[in-house]
Amino acid sequence: MIATLTRAMHGLVVERFEHVVGYVLVRHEAGGAELSHLFVHPGSRGLGLGRMLVEAATAHARNAGYSTLRVGDQAAGETARAFYEACDFQDLALPLG
């Protein structure tokens, strides 16, 4: 499900057994889109839901006409950086062209 939170931000959620177990927020900015928050409930990690949310955010940003999707400050840790690199981000940015 994609929800418009404001004109500048959209949220995507993933449900499992009728419960929200993850979400991603995409902020629309001049020059690109930013993946500002990504969360998957600890009990649902390891199922590919984080990657699925990133792929949905990427498709959303591409369909909105952005050429780049950047990762916000939440990717400061080594584990987060490794995750985004595994999702094809380079220097925490993903070209959408």
Side-chain angles (χ1 to χ4, degrees):
M1 170 187 2
I2 298 175
T4 301
L5 305 175
T6 69
R7 274 192 279 183
M9 186 172 294
H10 288 82
L12 297 91
V13 300
V14 62
E15 294 181 14
R16 193 164 176 240
F17 305 118
E18 299 182 23
H19 292 86
V20 173
V21 295
Y23 67 89
V24 63
L25 300 179
V26 179
R27 182 187 320 263
H28 300 274
E29 299 179 341
E34 179 184 276
L35 197 154
S36 64
H37 291 86
L38 172 67
F39 174 78
V40 175
H41 186 275
S44 295
R45 292 182 184 160
L47 302 175
L49 300 178
R51 181 177 288 274
M52 184 179 75
L53 285 165
V54 168
E55 289 172 357
T58 300
H60 174 75
R62 184 177 289 121
N63 291 338
Y66 290 97
S67 60
T68 304
L69 178 62
R70 293 183 329 278
V71 177
D73 295 337
Q74 82 276 7
E78 191 174 311
T79 302
R81 283 184 170 274
F83 169 77
Y84 289 111
E85 287 174 3
C87 292
D88 298 325
F89 282 75
Q90 299 172 6
D91 295 324
L92 299 179
L94 179 66
L96 302 176

